[in-house]
Amino acid sequence: MAEGWGAMTGAGTQALLRGVRVIDAVMVRVVRPGTNRRPRARVVLYAHRHPFRAGTAIGTGLTALFLVCAVAAGVPLKPTDAPLLTAIWAGSTLIFALLTRWEGIAHAEHQEQHRPRPRPVSGRRIAAGLAGWWAAVTVLLWSEDKAKHRPADFVVTATVTATLTLALVVTVLGVGSVGERRRRKR
């Protein structure tokens, strides 16, 4: 009678393979790609954000299940089996982490293709935002001058604020165009 890990050959291996085929057939029927319209579960979202952690959890669980099955089958475990168990754990962790990562990337690409494009911000909205910012800063600077008993002229304060606003807009547009040019070069 063979001892160790080689004892699981023959009829046991065939039964295991049949079981895997049955589980695979059931999963293919239950989870058909493209027909699942429900929102993703929290576990799936966590796995997509942290694929290595999810792979580690699945790999650890799979290794523990493997050990339980081996002990239940009567396979004697020796200290020399530790490298093999470590390899099983590391391999399953890596495989599940990569599969989770690839599935997350595929799902993100699918979501990106079907996401509606954002509408560009209208010129009216930009003008209203700048006018509001200009008015608020003008009043703040003018009231600061009044509070410190400095000579405060509202027209001068409004002009200074308009100049600052114009400088801010030019800076933002300049930085944006440089970034856009760099993105186009790639």
Side-chain angles (χ1 to χ4, degrees):
M1 182 170 163
E3 289 189 22
W5 296 103
M8 295 273 310
T9 58
T13 304
Q14 294 302 318
L16 182 65
L17 286 174
R18 277 189 300 242
V20 168
R21 286 186 191 120
V22 167
I23 291 170
D24 182 52
V26 169
M27 290 304 292
V28 166
R29 285 189 200 113
V30 171
V31 184
R32 290 187 180 146
T35 60
N36 190 3
R37 299 284 182 212
R38 293 177 298 161
R40 296 183 298 165
R42 284 184 182 177
V43 174
V44 175
L45 290 173
Y46 178 83
H48 287 172
R49 285 188 199 118
H50 310 287
F52 188 74
R53 290 180 189 171
T56 302
I58 293 171
T60 302
L62 190 64
T63 305
L65 179 66
F66 185 74
L67 276 172
V68 168
C69 291
V71 169
V75 177
L77 297 175
K78 297 175 270 192
T80 56
D81 294 332
L84 180 62
L85 289 172
T86 305
I88 291 170
W89 173 79
S92 59
T93 295
L94 182 63
I95 287 170
F96 281 112
L98 288 173
L99 288 175
T100 305
R101 177 72 178 139
W102 293 335
E103 199 272 331
I105 290 171
H107 186 78
E109 288 174 355
H110 176 75
Q111 290 293 99
E112 187 64 34
Q113 289 172 357
H114 297 321
R115 181 175 298 151
R117 300 285 179 231
R119 294 184 310 187
V121 180
S122 68
R124 279 181 155 175
R125 192 167 183 182
I126 292 172
L130 285 174
W133 188 84
W134 171 75
V137 172
T138 299
V139 169
L140 285 174
L141 290 177
W142 180 71
S143 61
E144 179 188 5
D145 286 343
K146 281 291 193 185
K148 292 185 178 180
H149 302 294
R150 289 187 282 196
D153 186 10
F154 192 76
V155 175
V156 172
T157 306
T159 306
V160 168
T161 308
T163 306
L164 289 174
T165 304
L166 185 62
L168 177 71
V169 168
V170 167
T171 304
V172 167
L173 290 176
V175 168
S177 66
V178 168
E180 184 64 33
R181 226 177 302 128
R182 287 184 181 162
R183 278 190 290 276
R184 272 189 262 137
K185 282 184 180 179
R186 290 183 197 168

